[in-house]
Amino acid sequence: MLKDITLGQYFPGDTIIHKLDPRTKLILVIVFIVALFLAVDWISYAFMFVVTALCVKVSTIKLKSILKGLKPLIFIIVFTGILNLFYTQGGTVLFDWWIFTISTAGIKRAFLMIVRIMLLITGTFLLTYTTSPIALTDGLEMLLNPLKKIKVPVHEMSMIMSMALRFIPTLIEETDKIMSAQKARGADFSTGKITERAKALLPLLVPLFVSSFRRADELAVAMESRCYHGGEGRTRMNALHMARRDYLAFLAGAIVLGGMIAMNIYGI
Amino acid sequence: MDAVIRVENLTHTYSVGTPFEKTAIHNINVNFYPGELVAVIGHTGSGKSTFMQHMNGLLAPTSGHVYCDGEDIFATKEATRDVRFKVGLVFQYPEYQLFEETVYKDIAFGPKNMKLSADEIDERVREAAGFVGLSEELFERSPLELSGGQKRRIAIAGVIAMRPKVLILDEPTAGLDPGGCEGIIKNILDYRERTGSTVLLVTHSMDDAARIADRLVVFHEGSIAMDGTPDAVFSHPTELTAMGLDVPQAAAIAQALRERGVSLPQSIYTLEQLKAALVPLRKGEN
Ligand SMILES: Nc1ncnc2c1ncn2[C@@H]1O[C@H](COP(=O)(O)OP(=O)(O)OP(=O)(O)O)[C@@H](O)[C@H]1O
Ligand SMILES: [Mg+2]
């Protein structure tokens, strides 16, 4: 079923990571990415690995869920690994055939690159796994607020984003339903030549578009009847505010970043 | 008589292996016979729609079998595809599946998928439109610009046009005004009388169920709780109420009258029966 795909899915929970302000988490993810790219050698990578593992542990997100999220990206991971394996020179050559050369330096670099990508993905997943999409867009809107001064429509953009997120499950459900209904009339979505298959999608796409427009129209009317008039002067039901744990998290982030800078300077 | 559809130990679990795992129907055994009109009733979420989607192979069972004309419909891919044309399923709110530019083309979608000749398709489209009372003037209109009730009829015609042996309708009258409901029920009865097909009708209206069905199947929490004639099923009002269902209005009125000391026979569940029982009483008083 289409419904079973994870789409930056949120796993509700009650850990300190879940409770952090979304702004804190967004900033810390950026800090995390910067720190990760400062890593140069075994020790700094090992340090980042431990930091990531610790965060996963605290968040109580199951390792299985993280691995499931990594699955669709396996191609990119393997591809990067192979590229680094063959294109890195140095160290002793272990294997040499035609244009393919594998050296000890290549193996090390390929391994570290794979670790880097996996940590990067895990770190960002941790954000979407522990933060509800609504909190995330709210946080993003507030972080980008200063851009309003230069006429960037921050509120509108975040409204569009949170609505899109809100309607993804609805749209998937609807797709499922229309697909079943057309299959009941003998439509066939899975066999035939590519042109036939593209044509077979028409009975799915037309009703889907029609209902999306209808939904958008209904939503606009519903919002206007509740006096929605854009972001100006609008207050929030759940206002975001920083707590002590957020300052502690920033402190931890600063320490990690400082440590990584130091390790980067010493090249370890 | 041989059953058209035989269901054996049917179980379906949604989202197996995820935190959202949910067993919607559980170990169902039931037979449907040629020419029957069966009303399927049950509380919201009792698994009626899930069950119906197994009858034409849209959902595959987690365990168990469905046989149509004695053949296991999940045995091969071809069998699953063939059964789509033998068992026609009209979904809940079917008007959202309309997609063609014209009403005619939309009704022709099913027959076209059956790879019939152009003449055969034309005959079936006209016949199906006739069954649901759609005039041929509408054929060249876009289905999207018609009223909700008309859209519903087009969608039903689209399934009838495949001339299925078994016609399944999932709440065909939901969200229509009383006149619209009555019209659709009448179309279904006509269709059944003229073609002799088996009809399975999911409905929330106990009055419709009592009035038109030969047999009632009651779903409760994913199993069949009762199965029998309307007479037999509606003679258990306490059980029905416990399952969150009503009895037909006529039965409720008869029961209220009995409690006030009017002597009425037990099996009253349609308006006609109630009238037949009450009119002689009034004459008696005079
Ligand atoms: N696609 C799905 N994924 C997961 N669970 C589902 C899905 N469809 C239905 N369910 C669940 O299965 C159960 C039975 O649903 P079903 O739609 O068969 O009920 P129903 O009897 O048709 O209800 P209604 O009268 O409201 O149409 C419900 O608890 C529902 O939440
Ligand atoms: Mg249903």
Side-chain angles (χ1 to χ4, degrees):
Chain A
M1 278 253 155
L2 285 169
K3 224 184 221 171
D4 299 337
I5 48 175
T6 41
L7 237 164
Q9 200 177 26
Y10 169 54
F11 292 98
D14 198 27
T15 68
I16 175 160
I17 297 198
H18 283 87
K19 281 192 227 151
L20 283 179
D21 191 287
R23 287 169 292 177
T24 315
K25 281 191 266 191
L26 278 163
I27 293 170
L28 284 181
V29 164
I30 296 168
V31 169
F32 173 83
I33 294 171
V34 172
L36 198 55
F37 278 87
L38 286 171
V40 276
D41 217 326
W42 295 109
I43 296 180
S44 44
Y45 272 102
F47 177 67
M48 283 313 286
F49 182 83
V50 171
V51 169
T52 316
L54 220 61
C55 291
V56 172
K57 180 95 184 68
V58 172
S59 73
T60 65
I61 299 287
K62 287 199 197 77
L63 202 60
K64 216 172 91 188
S65 317
I66 301 222
L67 291 179
K68 210 174 143 200
L70 285 174
K71 234 198 218 146
L73 298 159
I74 221 144
F75 174 76
I76 297 178
I77 297 173
V78 171
F79 188 72
T80 320
I82 290 176
L83 224 56
N84 279 290
L85 188 61
F86 290 117
Y87 283 90
T88 312
Q89 272 135 31
T92 34
V93 174
L94 300 174
F95 176 88
D96 193 359
W97 176 74
W98 194 31
I99 52 164
F100 300 108
T101 318
I102 297 180
S103 65
T104 43
I107 293 178
K108 176 181 164 190
R109 204 173 143 79
F111 177 76
L112 290 182
M113 280 321 261
I114 289 177
V115 170
R116 174 184 283 179
I117 295 181
M118 299 217 322
L119 290 183
L120 189 71
I121 297 168
T122 309
T124 39
F125 271 1
L126 213 52
L127 175 70
T128 55
Y129 279 176
T130 61
T131 322
S132 75
I134 299 296
L136 209 56
T137 40
D138 278 357
L140 208 58
E141 180 181 350
M142 290 188 68
L143 281 181
L144 298 180
N145 236 348
L147 293 183
K148 272 184 190 161
K149 294 235 163 60
I150 54 164
K151 297 256 166 25
V152 179
V154 175
H155 170 78
E156 285 72 15
M157 271 156 51
S158 98
M159 192 54 141
I160 290 170
M161 202 154 104
S162 50
M163 269 186 220
L165 286 168
R166 153 69 185 77
F167 278 101
I168 285 174
T170 317
L171 214 60
I172 291 179
E173 204 173 291
E174 189 117 341
T175 311
D176 250 357
K177 241 170 56 188
I178 297 173
M179 232 164 150
S180 302
Q182 306 300 24
K183 275 195 208 158
R185 298 204 277 164
D188 188 355
F189 294 109
S190 51
T191 56
K193 282 193 291 266
I194 188 102
T195 46
E196 281 169 23
R197 271 205 237 179
K199 247 172 136 179
L201 282 180
L202 211 63
L204 173 64
L205 293 181
V206 173
L208 209 55
F209 267 104
V210 171
S211 80
S212 302
F213 278 111
R214 183 175 44 84
R215 255 182 229 292
D217 198 38
E218 282 168 4
L219 187 68
V221 171
M223 283 170 79
E224 280 189 344
S225 17
R226 287 193 250 168
C227 302
Y228 176 79
H229 55 81
E232 213 55 50
R234 193 164 176 247
T235 56
R236 295 179 177 282
M237 185 160 124
N238 301 311
L240 297 175
H241 49 85
M242 297 277 181
R244 208 167 75 113
R245 55 174 171 262
D246 292 296
Y247 299 115
L248 286 176
F250 280 127
L251 189 65
I255 292 172
V256 169
L257 189 62
M260 288 305 290
I261 291 172
M263 282 190 258
N264 185 278
I265 291 168
Y266 287 103
I268 51 174
Chain B
M1 207 172 3
D2 279 342
V4 231
I5 293 187
R6 187 153 54 88
V7 179
E8 266 178 19
N9 304 320
L10 187 67
T11 298
H12 188 90
T13 307
Y14 282 109
S15 314
V16 179
T18 71
F20 311 104
E21 194 168 303
K22 158 111 199 159
T23 300
I25 51 173
H26 177 66
N27 207 17
I28 289 188
N29 288 288
V30 69
N31 289 340
F32 299 110
Y33 298 96
E36 266 190 318
L37 200 168
V38 184
V40 175
I41 56 180
H43 195 257
T44 250
S46 56
K48 305 179 297 288
S49 300
T50 307
F51 173 75
M52 290 307 178
Q53 287 177 58
H54 285 82
M55 300 300 104
N56 72 343
L58 280 177
L59 284 180
T62 309
S63 68
H65 297 277
V66 178
Y67 301 91
C68 179
D69 286 335
E71 275 179 63
D72 187 338
I73 67 167
F74 296 103
T76 61
K77 262 193 164 166
E78 288 71 39
T80 312
R81 206 172 135 70
D82 286 346
V83 82
R84 303 267 157 86
F85 303 122
K86 273 198 225 163
V87 180
L89 175 59
V90 181
F91 273 81
Q92 240 165 320
Y93 298 103
E95 49 272 30
Y96 296 132
Q97 75 194 32
L98 303 175
F99 72 99
E100 279 285 13
E101 300 151 61
T102 68
V103 170
Y104 182 91
K105 279 193 193 166
D106 208 288
I107 301 178
F109 182 65
K112 225 159 89 191
N113 284 327
M114 296 169 84
K115 311 245 180 319
L116 299 172
S117 70
D119 290 341
E120 175 85 29
I121 292 177
D122 186 66
E123 186 195 323
R124 289 186 177 208
V125 171
R126 286 174 201 283
E127 182 196 75
F131 275 131
V132 297
L134 277 175
S135 71
E136 304 205 348
E137 288 141 39
L138 295 178
F139 277 3
E140 294 310 314
R141 296 270 294 279
S142 159
L144 301 179
E145 62 192 27
L146 300 179
S147 78
Q150 283 170 320
K151 282 186 194 162
R152 185 82 53 99
R153 281 160 201 270
I154 298 168
I156 296 176
V159 172
I160 287 180
M162 302 192 299
R163 292 205 185 135
K165 283 180 86 159
V166 181
L167 178 65
I168 304 178
L169 300 118
D170 198 346
E171 296 183 36
T173 57
L176 294 185
D177 65 294
C181 291
E182 193 52 45
I184 288 204
I185 293 285
K186 210 178 138 293
N187 294 151
I188 295 167
L189 290 178
D190 277 355
Y191 171 76
R192 179 207 178 209
E193 195 166 305
R194 301 247 291 276
T195 60
S197 20
T198 311
V199 177
L200 308 186
L201 177 75
V202 178
T203 179
H204 279 291
S205 159
M206 297 303 139
D207 292 299
D208 285 345
R211 199 155 49 95
I212 64 172
D214 307 323
R215 179 176 156 202
L216 289 187
V217 171
V218 184
F219 271 72
H220 182 57
E221 290 176 358
S223 310
I224 293 183
M226 288 190 223
D227 181 351
T229 58
D231 234 340
V233 169
F234 289 129
S235 59
H236 296 91
T238 16
E239 283 93 328
L240 285 174
T241 319
M243 287 184 244
L245 298 171
D246 281 334
V247 290
Q249 269 176 13
I253 294 171
Q255 186 55 33
L257 287 172
R258 271 183 222 114
E259 276 160 21
R260 284 168 178 71
V262 183
S263 92
L264 289 170
Q266 268 309 317
S267 61
I268 291 180
Y269 50 84
T270 66
L271 223 55
E272 274 69 38
Q273 288 167 336
L274 184 63
K275 198 167 119 194
L278 288 179
V279 170
L281 285 183
R282 191 165 129 220
K283 284 190 182 130
E285 272 176 17
N286 292 344

